Amino acid sequence: MGIADAKGRTPDAGPDDTALIAASQRGDQSAFAEIVRRYQRAVYRVAYALTRNTSDADDLAQETFVRAWGAIGRFELGSPLHPWLARIATNQAYSLFRHRKRRPETSIEPLVEAGMQWGTDDDPADHTARSEQGAQLRAAFDQLSPEHQSVLALRAVQDLSYEQIAEALGVPTGTVMSRLSRARTELKRLMQSQSGDTP
Amino acid sequence: MSHLEDEELDALLAKELTHDPGEAYFASFADRVTARIEAETAAAAPVAPPVKPGGLAAWFGSLWTPRGLAYAGGTLALLVVAGLAYRNAQHGAVTPTEVLQSQRVIPSEPSAGTSLSADATESEAAKESPNESSPSDQPTPVPSAAKASGATRETPTARMYEVRPGANGEDVPVKPRASAPRPALAPIPGESEQTRAKRELNAQPMRAQPPSATKAQSNESAPSGPAPTATTPAPAQTLAPDRRGGMQPARDEDAPPAQELSITNRLDSRGQLCGTVRDASGRAIAGARVTLTRDGSGATTDGRGAFCLPRPLEAGTLSVLAVGYRESRLTVGPSGSAPLAVTLEAVDPLARSTGRALDASAGKVRADTYARESAPARASVAFAREAQRAAEKTPTTEAWTVAGERWSLVASLVHTEAALPDARFNAAKARYASWELGPDDRRKRHAREAVDAYLAIAVNGPLRDLALGWQAKLAR
């Protein structure tokens, strides 16, 4: 336990997590700090995927854990912690979007990173094609509804199962599958419309 | 794009929607979350909950939370007080509560959480709005002890105590008189001029009394021989800088709970509780704050260390605080007329900056980086560390700004190779935290300067990586 996998995610609740959660429910802040350390990367990934902005992602990730501390007493021991944290992060992102009355700000960081990668690329033509594809994907993703964004982020970035996504979003598993399908279709359509391809 | 399969799309999404802020970011992430949790937990003042969209019903729904209930209770109490004040203003009636409150010596200053070295501006502001304590609006004074050691820069508004020649020819700190005149007490129907004059006298601090009254009270309070009720209890707590840079008592588990402060102490006409405050060598301590912890009423000692305040009806704790001394607490009761003789133990501000110090964050003893520095430098280190601890405990922009200023001062005073990077790193950390909590151009400029100063001498390692992360964020 405690070793994050390639997705920045720690395996679901095991004995160690359960003990930490139980200690946190008794008010042990050091135990909760250990939970934060275990899941900080996973939560940050969700936060960044939903905001595409490092500053907002930082705020969102911190806020997620602060809210989790406030609600840890209501957490059911034995349940996996990761979907619960993902749910808090998603709800916080929704709240942030509602508060701003608009979608996440488009960050220049991907452009900066693209510029940094340029020098190491062997084939400028391939690099340009991939950069264009990435830019189209980001632009299309920005146009999706928050519900479609979150389901795609949890699936593609966090690699959660349908059941875990359902738990994180508070919807039935069937809804997750259908929403995911519609989100992918919509994303592809938007990318095609940007590239000028006909469906 | 139509050739994209779901797996390819997911892989592309994972690539485009992922950002790795680096190990340095996550190294301190848990600490920042913990600091935020502690800050929210420690927030004693009820804060108005944000009104969420959804109308009045949603707002009322948000009241059913601990914070919401506290806010509602505070608002209700304010309304009741305002209503009573309005009623009294309309009818000219004087309630027993008003009479009792008018007899309190320092009714507007609570005993706990009040900065001893708050500057005069802050004192005046407290008089104008005693129930408002907004840390963000307060200046950041420098502790008097640090100033006395020559370790801090002196600013005109950072002084609460002036140093004047005392009765024994030595310099003693004396609190300057507030410029704002004290409002006249409300008249009580049927009250004689003599009673009113006595009431006026009781409502003034010792140093604000006319010479004749001071002399009379000093005669009454002067210790003659061993005082029957004189006690010199063990120091209950030490003075620690608060987040505004002033000195306040460190948290004491034995201290009465904060709820006691709200209990109005009933006073009667059974006389005054007088005494003197001296140090271990018998020298009078001027400017010491003597407070009844039950209701926060109290007095400040005059140049001879004497004080008088209304004797409480019930037994309670008397707290005696002075800059540079450990707090003394003793139990006082409604009976007894002998003057108290309180002895305070001096605090050595260098004690914690010499030799080996306990690194609380690491939980282990480490060699002090500043052991070879000069005495003023070590004194400034002690105050900088206290400011940093206060900021870490209650992270606010002001608290981190104070910590940053003090660490910058430390950086200008130290000379050894080990101390300079440590001081500059701490200054950069504090300046960056201040900017992060309250981003504006001035804090950003200070943070950039501090981070650049540290990076100019930093060696490779996690701290340098952390500072590079700050630099990158500040550059955006």
Side-chain angles (χ1 to χ4, degrees), chain A residues 29 37 40-41 44-45 48 54 58 61-63 65-66 69 113 133-134 136-138 141 156 184 188 192 197, chain B residues 1-2 4 6 10 12-14 16-19 21 23 25-26 29-30 32-34 36-38 40 473 476:
Chain A
Q29 283 196 6
R37 288 187 198 95
Q40 57 189 4
R41 287 174 176 77
Y44 184 87
R45 287 172 70 94
Y48 184 82
T54 55
D58 181 37
Q62 285 193 43
E63 190 65 26
F65 283 112
V66 172
W69 169 255
E113 290 171 2
Q133 191 180 40
Q136 289 170 1
L137 181 64
R138 287 192 298 274
F141 190 84
R184 283 174 173 146
K188 289 176 184 174
Q192 287 164 354
D197 291 352
Chain B
M1 297 295 172
S2 58
L4 274 178
D6 288 351
D10 286 356
L12 199 55
L13 273 173
E16 295 298 329
L17 300 181
T18 302
H19 170 73
E23 284 302 314
Y25 170 83
F26 290 117
F29 182 85
R32 282 182 282 138
V33 171
T34 304
R36 276 194 60 183
I37 290 172
E38 287 177 351
E40 294 199 0
K473 276 196 170 184
R476 286 173 193 153

Short mmCIF file of all heavy atoms in Angstrom, two decimals, chain A residues 29 37 40-41 44-45 48 54 58 61-63 65-66 69 113 133-134 136-138 141 156 184 188 192 197, chain B residues 1-2 4 6 10 12-14 16-19 21 23 25-26 29-30 32-34 36-38 40 473 476:
data_model
loop_
_atom_site.label_atom_id
_atom_site.label_comp_id
_atom_site.label_asym_id
_atom_site.label_seq_id
_atom_site.Cartn_x
_atom_site.Cartn_y
_atom_site.Cartn_z
N GLN A 29 -4.92 13.94 12.83
CA GLN A 29 -4.54 14.66 11.62
C GLN A 29 -3.32 14.05 10.94
O GLN A 29 -3.18 14.16 9.73
CB GLN A 29 -4.26 16.13 11.96
CG GLN A 29 -5.52 16.94 12.17
CD GLN A 29 -5.26 18.43 12.12
OE1 GLN A 29 -4.18 18.86 11.83
NE2 GLN A 29 -6.28 19.20 12.43
N ARG A 37 -0.86 12.14 1.46
CA ARG A 37 0.36 11.78 0.72
C ARG A 37 0.09 10.63 -0.24
O ARG A 37 0.63 10.58 -1.34
CB ARG A 37 1.46 11.40 1.69
CG ARG A 37 2.02 12.60 2.43
CD ARG A 37 3.21 12.26 3.28
NE ARG A 37 3.44 13.29 4.27
CZ ARG A 37 2.98 13.25 5.52
NH1 ARG A 37 2.30 12.20 5.94
NH2 ARG A 37 3.20 14.24 6.36
N GLN A 40 -2.46 12.19 -3.11
CA GLN A 40 -2.31 13.54 -3.63
C GLN A 40 -2.11 13.56 -5.14
O GLN A 40 -2.67 14.41 -5.84
CB GLN A 40 -1.16 14.26 -2.93
CG GLN A 40 0.19 13.56 -3.04
CD GLN A 40 1.24 14.22 -2.15
OE1 GLN A 40 0.94 15.14 -1.41
NE2 GLN A 40 2.47 13.73 -2.22
N ARG A 41 -1.35 12.60 -5.66
CA ARG A 41 -1.13 12.58 -7.10
C ARG A 41 -2.40 12.23 -7.86
O ARG A 41 -2.71 12.82 -8.89
CB ARG A 41 -0.02 11.58 -7.43
CG ARG A 41 1.35 12.08 -7.03
CD ARG A 41 2.42 11.04 -7.23
NE ARG A 41 3.74 11.56 -6.94
CZ ARG A 41 4.22 11.74 -5.72
NH1 ARG A 41 3.47 11.41 -4.67
NH2 ARG A 41 5.41 12.24 -5.53
N TYR A 44 -4.67 15.19 -7.70
CA TYR A 44 -4.17 16.27 -8.55
C TYR A 44 -4.45 15.97 -10.03
O TYR A 44 -4.78 16.87 -10.81
CB TYR A 44 -2.67 16.49 -8.33
CG TYR A 44 -2.13 17.65 -9.11
CD1 TYR A 44 -2.17 18.94 -8.60
CD2 TYR A 44 -1.60 17.45 -10.38
CE1 TYR A 44 -1.69 20.00 -9.33
CE2 TYR A 44 -1.12 18.51 -11.13
CZ TYR A 44 -1.16 19.78 -10.59
OH TYR A 44 -0.69 20.84 -11.33
N ARG A 45 -4.31 14.71 -10.40
CA ARG A 45 -4.55 14.36 -11.81
C ARG A 45 -6.00 14.64 -12.18
O ARG A 45 -6.30 15.17 -13.26
CB ARG A 45 -4.21 12.88 -12.05
CG ARG A 45 -2.72 12.61 -12.06
CD ARG A 45 -2.48 11.12 -12.10
NE ARG A 45 -2.85 10.54 -13.39
CZ ARG A 45 -1.99 10.36 -14.39
NH1 ARG A 45 -0.72 10.70 -14.23
NH2 ARG A 45 -2.38 9.82 -15.51
N TYR A 48 -6.40 18.45 -12.35
CA TYR A 48 -5.84 19.07 -13.54
C TYR A 48 -6.63 18.71 -14.79
O TYR A 48 -6.84 19.54 -15.68
CB TYR A 48 -4.37 18.66 -13.72
CG TYR A 48 -3.73 19.36 -14.88
CD1 TYR A 48 -3.23 20.65 -14.75
CD2 TYR A 48 -3.66 18.75 -16.13
CE1 TYR A 48 -2.68 21.32 -15.83
CE2 TYR A 48 -3.11 19.41 -17.21
CZ TYR A 48 -2.62 20.69 -17.06
OH TYR A 48 -2.08 21.35 -18.13
N THR A 54 -2.81 24.73 -13.82
CA THR A 54 -2.09 24.27 -12.63
C THR A 54 -2.52 25.00 -11.37
O THR A 54 -2.60 24.41 -10.30
CB THR A 54 -0.57 24.47 -12.82
OG1 THR A 54 -0.33 25.83 -13.14
CG2 THR A 54 -0.03 23.58 -13.92
N ASP A 58 -4.20 23.07 -8.33
CA ASP A 58 -3.65 23.11 -6.97
C ASP A 58 -4.74 23.47 -5.97
O ASP A 58 -4.90 22.81 -4.93
CB ASP A 58 -2.52 24.15 -6.93
CG ASP A 58 -1.87 24.22 -5.56
OD1 ASP A 58 -1.75 23.17 -4.92
OD2 ASP A 58 -1.50 25.32 -5.13
N ALA A 61 -7.23 20.55 -5.71
CA ALA A 61 -6.71 19.39 -4.99
C ALA A 61 -6.67 19.65 -3.49
O ALA A 61 -7.07 18.80 -2.68
CB ALA A 61 -5.30 19.06 -5.51
N GLN A 62 -6.22 20.84 -3.12
CA GLN A 62 -6.21 21.16 -1.69
C GLN A 62 -7.62 21.18 -1.12
O GLN A 62 -7.89 20.64 -0.04
CB GLN A 62 -5.54 22.52 -1.47
CG GLN A 62 -4.05 22.51 -1.61
CD GLN A 62 -3.44 23.81 -1.08
OE1 GLN A 62 -3.83 24.30 -0.04
NE2 GLN A 62 -2.48 24.35 -1.81
N GLU A 63 -8.50 21.82 -1.85
CA GLU A 63 -9.88 21.93 -1.36
C GLU A 63 -10.52 20.56 -1.22
O GLU A 63 -11.31 20.32 -0.31
CB GLU A 63 -10.69 22.81 -2.33
CG GLU A 63 -12.06 23.20 -1.82
CD GLU A 63 -12.00 24.09 -0.59
OE1 GLU A 63 -10.98 24.78 -0.41
OE2 GLU A 63 -12.95 24.05 0.21
N PHE A 65 -9.09 17.76 -0.36
CA PHE A 65 -8.67 17.11 0.88
C PHE A 65 -9.23 17.83 2.11
O PHE A 65 -9.53 17.19 3.11
CB PHE A 65 -7.14 17.04 0.94
CG PHE A 65 -6.58 15.96 0.07
CD1 PHE A 65 -5.84 16.28 -1.05
CD2 PHE A 65 -6.80 14.62 0.36
CE1 PHE A 65 -5.33 15.29 -1.87
CE2 PHE A 65 -6.28 13.63 -0.46
CZ PHE A 65 -5.55 13.96 -1.58
N VAL A 66 -9.34 19.15 2.02
CA VAL A 66 -9.94 19.86 3.16
C VAL A 66 -11.38 19.42 3.34
O VAL A 66 -11.85 19.16 4.46
CB VAL A 66 -9.84 21.38 2.92
CG1 VAL A 66 -10.63 22.13 3.99
CG2 VAL A 66 -8.39 21.84 2.95
N TRP A 69 -11.49 15.94 4.77
CA TRP A 69 -11.28 15.93 6.23
C TRP A 69 -12.57 16.28 6.96
O TRP A 69 -12.91 15.69 7.98
CB TRP A 69 -10.17 16.91 6.58
CG TRP A 69 -10.05 17.17 8.05
CD1 TRP A 69 -10.44 18.29 8.72
CD2 TRP A 69 -9.50 16.30 9.04
NE1 TRP A 69 -10.17 18.15 10.04
CE2 TRP A 69 -9.60 16.95 10.28
CE3 TRP A 69 -8.94 15.03 8.99
CZ2 TRP A 69 -9.14 16.38 11.46
CZ3 TRP A 69 -8.50 14.46 10.18
CH2 TRP A 69 -8.60 15.13 11.39
N GLU A 113 4.74 23.55 -23.16
CA GLU A 113 5.33 22.22 -23.19
C GLU A 113 5.58 21.76 -24.62
O GLU A 113 6.59 21.14 -24.92
CB GLU A 113 4.41 21.24 -22.48
CG GLU A 113 4.37 21.47 -20.97
CD GLU A 113 3.28 20.66 -20.32
OE1 GLU A 113 2.61 19.89 -21.03
OE2 GLU A 113 3.13 20.79 -19.11
N GLN A 133 -3.11 17.65 -33.46
CA GLN A 133 -4.11 16.73 -32.95
C GLN A 133 -4.37 16.98 -31.46
O GLN A 133 -5.52 17.00 -31.02
CB GLN A 133 -3.63 15.28 -33.15
CG GLN A 133 -4.70 14.26 -32.89
CD GLN A 133 -4.16 12.85 -33.10
OE1 GLN A 133 -3.03 12.54 -32.72
NE2 GLN A 133 -4.97 12.01 -33.71
N GLY A 134 -3.30 17.22 -30.73
CA GLY A 134 -3.46 17.51 -29.30
C GLY A 134 -4.22 18.79 -29.08
O GLY A 134 -5.09 18.88 -28.20
N GLN A 136 -6.37 20.17 -31.11
CA GLN A 136 -7.78 19.93 -31.45
C GLN A 136 -8.49 19.17 -30.34
O GLN A 136 -9.64 19.46 -30.01
CB GLN A 136 -7.86 19.15 -32.76
CG GLN A 136 -7.47 19.96 -33.98
CD GLN A 136 -7.33 19.09 -35.23
OE1 GLN A 136 -7.55 17.89 -35.17
NE2 GLN A 136 -6.94 19.71 -36.32
N LEU A 137 -7.78 18.22 -29.76
CA LEU A 137 -8.40 17.44 -28.69
C LEU A 137 -8.70 18.32 -27.49
O LEU A 137 -9.78 18.26 -26.91
CB LEU A 137 -7.47 16.29 -28.29
CG LEU A 137 -8.00 15.37 -27.19
CD1 LEU A 137 -9.25 14.65 -27.65
CD2 LEU A 137 -6.94 14.38 -26.76
N ARG A 138 -7.75 19.16 -27.13
CA ARG A 138 -7.98 20.03 -25.98
C ARG A 138 -9.12 21.00 -26.25
O ARG A 138 -9.96 21.26 -25.38
CB ARG A 138 -6.71 20.81 -25.65
CG ARG A 138 -5.61 19.98 -25.01
CD ARG A 138 -4.52 20.87 -24.44
NE ARG A 138 -3.86 21.66 -25.47
CZ ARG A 138 -2.82 21.25 -26.20
NH1 ARG A 138 -2.34 20.03 -26.00
NH2 ARG A 138 -2.28 22.01 -27.11
N PHE A 141 -12.30 19.06 -26.12
CA PHE A 141 -12.61 18.67 -24.75
C PHE A 141 -13.19 19.86 -23.98
O PHE A 141 -14.11 19.70 -23.17
CB PHE A 141 -11.35 18.16 -24.06
CG PHE A 141 -11.59 17.51 -22.73
CD1 PHE A 141 -11.98 16.18 -22.64
CD2 PHE A 141 -11.42 18.23 -21.56
CE1 PHE A 141 -12.21 15.59 -21.42
CE2 PHE A 141 -11.64 17.64 -20.34
CZ PHE A 141 -12.04 16.32 -20.26
N ALA A 156 -10.23 8.02 -18.74
CA ALA A 156 -8.99 8.05 -19.52
C ALA A 156 -7.78 8.42 -18.67
O ALA A 156 -6.72 7.83 -18.83
CB ALA A 156 -9.14 9.05 -20.68
N ARG A 184 -17.51 10.28 -25.85
CA ARG A 184 -16.50 9.97 -26.88
C ARG A 184 -17.00 10.38 -28.26
O ARG A 184 -16.26 10.95 -29.08
CB ARG A 184 -16.18 8.48 -26.85
CG ARG A 184 -15.25 8.10 -25.69
CD ARG A 184 -15.08 6.62 -25.63
NE ARG A 184 -14.09 6.20 -24.65
CZ ARG A 184 -14.17 5.10 -23.93
NH1 ARG A 184 -15.21 4.28 -24.09
NH2 ARG A 184 -13.24 4.78 -23.07
N LYS A 188 -15.23 13.15 -30.61
CA LYS A 188 -14.76 12.88 -31.96
C LYS A 188 -15.42 13.83 -32.96
O LYS A 188 -14.78 14.34 -33.89
CB LYS A 188 -15.06 11.43 -32.34
CG LYS A 188 -14.19 10.41 -31.62
CD LYS A 188 -14.63 9.01 -31.98
CE LYS A 188 -13.87 7.95 -31.19
NZ LYS A 188 -14.38 6.59 -31.43
N GLN A 192 -13.51 16.40 -35.38
CA GLN A 192 -13.67 16.35 -36.84
C GLN A 192 -14.11 17.70 -37.38
O GLN A 192 -13.64 18.14 -38.44
CB GLN A 192 -14.68 15.28 -37.20
CG GLN A 192 -14.13 13.87 -37.03
CD GLN A 192 -15.23 12.83 -37.03
OE1 GLN A 192 -16.42 13.15 -37.04
NE2 GLN A 192 -14.84 11.55 -36.99
N ASP A 197 -12.70 17.55 -41.33
CA ASP A 197 -13.05 16.24 -41.87
C ASP A 197 -14.56 16.06 -41.86
O ASP A 197 -15.26 16.57 -41.00
CB ASP A 197 -12.43 15.13 -41.02
CG ASP A 197 -10.92 15.13 -41.19
OD1 ASP A 197 -10.43 15.87 -42.07
OD2 ASP A 197 -10.26 14.41 -40.43
N MET B 1 -9.83 12.32 -38.48
CA MET B 1 -9.92 11.99 -37.08
C MET B 1 -10.86 10.83 -36.83
O MET B 1 -10.95 10.31 -35.74
CB MET B 1 -10.43 13.21 -36.29
CG MET B 1 -9.49 14.37 -36.35
SD MET B 1 -7.92 13.99 -35.54
CE MET B 1 -6.97 15.43 -35.98
N SER B 2 -11.59 10.46 -37.85
CA SER B 2 -12.60 9.43 -37.64
C SER B 2 -11.97 8.08 -37.38
O SER B 2 -12.64 7.17 -36.90
CB SER B 2 -13.52 9.35 -38.87
OG SER B 2 -12.73 9.08 -40.02
N LEU B 4 -9.86 7.39 -35.17
CA LEU B 4 -9.51 7.23 -33.77
C LEU B 4 -10.44 6.23 -33.09
O LEU B 4 -11.65 6.39 -33.10
CB LEU B 4 -9.61 8.57 -33.04
CG LEU B 4 -8.39 9.49 -33.09
CD1 LEU B 4 -8.70 10.78 -32.35
CD2 LEU B 4 -7.18 8.80 -32.49
N ASP B 6 -11.58 4.10 -29.53
CA ASP B 6 -11.78 4.54 -28.16
C ASP B 6 -10.49 4.48 -27.36
O ASP B 6 -10.19 5.39 -26.58
CB ASP B 6 -12.85 3.68 -27.48
CG ASP B 6 -14.24 3.99 -28.03
OD1 ASP B 6 -14.36 4.98 -28.79
OD2 ASP B 6 -15.18 3.25 -27.71
N ASP B 10 -8.64 7.54 -25.62
CA ASP B 10 -8.34 7.58 -24.19
C ASP B 10 -6.86 7.85 -23.96
O ASP B 10 -6.48 8.62 -23.06
CB ASP B 10 -8.74 6.26 -23.52
CG ASP B 10 -10.25 6.15 -23.37
OD1 ASP B 10 -10.94 7.13 -23.71
OD2 ASP B 10 -10.72 5.09 -22.92
N LEU B 12 -4.83 9.40 -25.97
CA LEU B 12 -4.55 10.79 -26.30
C LEU B 12 -5.05 11.74 -25.22
O LEU B 12 -4.39 12.71 -24.85
CB LEU B 12 -5.22 11.12 -27.64
CG LEU B 12 -4.72 12.34 -28.40
CD1 LEU B 12 -3.23 12.26 -28.64
CD2 LEU B 12 -5.46 12.47 -29.72
N LEU B 13 -6.22 11.41 -24.69
CA LEU B 13 -6.76 12.24 -23.61
C LEU B 13 -5.85 12.19 -22.38
O LEU B 13 -5.58 13.21 -21.75
CB LEU B 13 -8.16 11.75 -23.22
CG LEU B 13 -9.33 12.32 -24.01
CD1 LEU B 13 -10.61 11.60 -23.62
CD2 LEU B 13 -9.47 13.81 -23.75
N ALA B 14 -5.40 10.97 -22.06
CA ALA B 14 -4.53 10.83 -20.89
C ALA B 14 -3.27 11.65 -21.06
O ALA B 14 -2.75 12.23 -20.10
CB ALA B 14 -4.19 9.36 -20.68
N GLU B 16 -2.95 14.43 -23.02
CA GLU B 16 -3.23 15.86 -23.08
C GLU B 16 -3.76 16.42 -21.76
O GLU B 16 -3.62 17.60 -21.50
CB GLU B 16 -4.25 16.15 -24.19
CG GLU B 16 -3.73 15.85 -25.58
CD GLU B 16 -2.53 16.71 -25.94
OE1 GLU B 16 -2.45 17.85 -25.45
OE2 GLU B 16 -1.65 16.23 -26.69
N LEU B 17 -4.38 15.57 -20.96
CA LEU B 17 -5.00 16.08 -19.73
C LEU B 17 -4.17 15.78 -18.50
O LEU B 17 -4.66 15.88 -17.38
CB LEU B 17 -6.40 15.47 -19.56
CG LEU B 17 -7.39 15.75 -20.67
CD1 LEU B 17 -8.74 15.11 -20.37
CD2 LEU B 17 -7.57 17.25 -20.85
N THR B 18 -2.95 15.42 -18.71
CA THR B 18 -2.09 15.09 -17.58
C THR B 18 -0.99 16.12 -17.46
O THR B 18 -0.43 16.57 -18.46
CB THR B 18 -1.48 13.70 -17.75
OG1 THR B 18 -2.53 12.76 -17.89
CG2 THR B 18 -0.63 13.33 -16.54
N HIS B 19 -0.72 16.48 -16.23
CA HIS B 19 0.37 17.42 -15.95
C HIS B 19 1.06 16.96 -14.68
O HIS B 19 0.40 16.67 -13.68
CB HIS B 19 -0.17 18.84 -15.77
CG HIS B 19 0.86 19.79 -15.26
ND1 HIS B 19 1.89 20.25 -16.03
CD2 HIS B 19 1.04 20.35 -14.03
CE1 HIS B 19 2.65 21.06 -15.31
NE2 HIS B 19 2.15 21.14 -14.10
N PRO B 21 3.36 18.15 -11.82
CA PRO B 21 3.98 19.35 -11.23
C PRO B 21 5.35 19.08 -10.62
O PRO B 21 6.03 20.01 -10.21
CB PRO B 21 2.98 19.77 -10.16
CG PRO B 21 2.30 18.51 -9.78
CD PRO B 21 2.27 17.65 -11.00
N GLU B 23 8.08 16.43 -8.16
CA GLU B 23 8.17 15.91 -6.79
C GLU B 23 8.19 17.03 -5.76
O GLU B 23 7.68 16.89 -4.66
CB GLU B 23 9.42 15.05 -6.64
CG GLU B 23 9.32 13.68 -7.26
CD GLU B 23 8.16 12.87 -6.69
OE1 GLU B 23 8.00 12.85 -5.45
OE2 GLU B 23 7.41 12.29 -7.48
N TYR B 25 6.61 19.73 -5.73
CA TYR B 25 5.24 20.18 -5.44
C TYR B 25 4.58 19.25 -4.43
O TYR B 25 3.98 19.69 -3.45
CB TYR B 25 4.44 20.23 -6.73
CG TYR B 25 2.96 20.45 -6.53
CD1 TYR B 25 2.45 21.72 -6.34
CD2 TYR B 25 2.07 19.37 -6.51
CE1 TYR B 25 1.10 21.92 -6.15
CE2 TYR B 25 0.73 19.57 -6.32
CZ TYR B 25 0.24 20.84 -6.14
OH TYR B 25 -1.10 21.03 -5.94
N PHE B 26 4.73 17.95 -4.67
CA PHE B 26 4.05 17.01 -3.78
C PHE B 26 4.77 16.87 -2.44
O PHE B 26 4.17 16.40 -1.47
CB PHE B 26 3.94 15.64 -4.45
CG PHE B 26 2.98 15.63 -5.60
CD1 PHE B 26 3.41 15.37 -6.89
CD2 PHE B 26 1.65 15.91 -5.41
CE1 PHE B 26 2.53 15.38 -7.95
CE2 PHE B 26 0.75 15.92 -6.46
CZ PHE B 26 1.20 15.65 -7.74
N PHE B 29 2.89 19.21 -0.32
CA PHE B 29 1.44 19.31 -0.52
C PHE B 29 0.68 18.93 0.74
O PHE B 29 -0.24 19.63 1.18
CB PHE B 29 1.03 18.41 -1.69
CG PHE B 29 -0.44 18.49 -2.02
CD1 PHE B 29 -0.92 19.49 -2.84
CD2 PHE B 29 -1.34 17.58 -1.49
CE1 PHE B 29 -2.27 19.57 -3.14
CE2 PHE B 29 -2.69 17.66 -1.78
CZ PHE B 29 -3.15 18.66 -2.61
N ALA B 30 1.06 17.80 1.34
CA ALA B 30 0.35 17.34 2.54
C ALA B 30 0.47 18.36 3.66
O ALA B 30 -0.50 18.58 4.41
CB ALA B 30 0.89 15.98 2.98
N ARG B 32 0.75 21.57 3.31
CA ARG B 32 -0.11 22.71 3.03
C ARG B 32 -1.57 22.37 3.32
O ARG B 32 -2.32 23.19 3.84
CB ARG B 32 0.06 23.14 1.57
CG ARG B 32 1.35 23.94 1.35
CD ARG B 32 1.48 24.40 -0.07
NE ARG B 32 1.93 23.33 -0.94
CZ ARG B 32 1.44 23.08 -2.15
NH1 ARG B 32 0.48 23.82 -2.62
NH2 ARG B 32 1.91 22.10 -2.88
N VAL B 33 -1.96 21.15 2.98
CA VAL B 33 -3.33 20.74 3.28
C VAL B 33 -3.54 20.72 4.78
O VAL B 33 -4.56 21.21 5.30
CB VAL B 33 -3.62 19.36 2.66
CG1 VAL B 33 -4.95 18.82 3.15
CG2 VAL B 33 -3.62 19.45 1.15
N THR B 34 -2.57 20.16 5.50
CA THR B 34 -2.71 20.10 6.96
C THR B 34 -2.78 21.50 7.54
O THR B 34 -3.56 21.76 8.46
CB THR B 34 -1.50 19.35 7.55
OG1 THR B 34 -1.43 18.07 6.93
CG2 THR B 34 -1.67 19.17 9.04
N ARG B 36 -3.92 24.15 6.11
CA ARG B 36 -5.24 24.72 5.83
C ARG B 36 -6.29 24.15 6.76
O ARG B 36 -7.18 24.85 7.24
CB ARG B 36 -5.63 24.42 4.38
CG ARG B 36 -5.08 25.41 3.40
CD ARG B 36 -5.76 25.29 2.06
NE ARG B 36 -7.19 25.52 2.13
CZ ARG B 36 -8.01 25.41 1.09
NH1 ARG B 36 -7.54 25.07 -0.08
NH2 ARG B 36 -9.30 25.63 1.23
N ILE B 37 -6.20 22.84 7.02
CA ILE B 37 -7.17 22.22 7.92
C ILE B 37 -7.03 22.80 9.32
O ILE B 37 -8.03 23.14 9.97
CB ILE B 37 -6.96 20.69 7.93
CG1 ILE B 37 -7.39 20.10 6.60
CG2 ILE B 37 -7.72 20.05 9.07
CD1 ILE B 37 -7.05 18.64 6.43
N GLU B 38 -5.80 22.95 9.77
CA GLU B 38 -5.60 23.51 11.11
C GLU B 38 -6.10 24.94 11.16
O GLU B 38 -6.67 25.37 12.16
CB GLU B 38 -4.12 23.45 11.47
CG GLU B 38 -3.66 22.03 11.79
CD GLU B 38 -2.17 21.99 12.09
OE1 GLU B 38 -1.50 23.01 11.87
OE2 GLU B 38 -1.70 20.93 12.53
N GLU B 40 -8.49 26.28 9.42
CA GLU B 40 -9.94 26.31 9.43
C GLU B 40 -10.48 25.82 10.76
O GLU B 40 -11.50 26.28 11.25
CB GLU B 40 -10.49 25.46 8.28
CG GLU B 40 -10.15 26.05 6.93
CD GLU B 40 -11.03 25.51 5.83
OE1 GLU B 40 -11.90 24.68 6.13
OE2 GLU B 40 -10.82 25.92 4.68
N LYS B 473 6.43 29.47 -10.85
CA LYS B 473 5.07 29.96 -10.62
C LYS B 473 5.04 31.48 -10.58
O LYS B 473 4.09 32.10 -11.06
CB LYS B 473 4.53 29.39 -9.31
CG LYS B 473 3.92 28.01 -9.45
CD LYS B 473 3.06 27.68 -8.25
CE LYS B 473 2.28 26.41 -8.49
NZ LYS B 473 1.36 26.11 -7.38
N ARG B 476 4.97 33.28 -13.99
CA ARG B 476 3.79 33.22 -14.85
C ARG B 476 2.97 34.49 -14.75
O ARG B 476 2.94 35.11 -13.72
CB ARG B 476 2.93 32.03 -14.47
CG ARG B 476 3.55 30.73 -14.92
CD ARG B 476 2.78 29.55 -14.37
NE ARG B 476 3.54 28.32 -14.55
CZ ARG B 476 3.42 27.25 -13.78
NH1 ARG B 476 2.56 27.26 -12.77
NH2 ARG B 476 4.14 26.19 -13.99
#
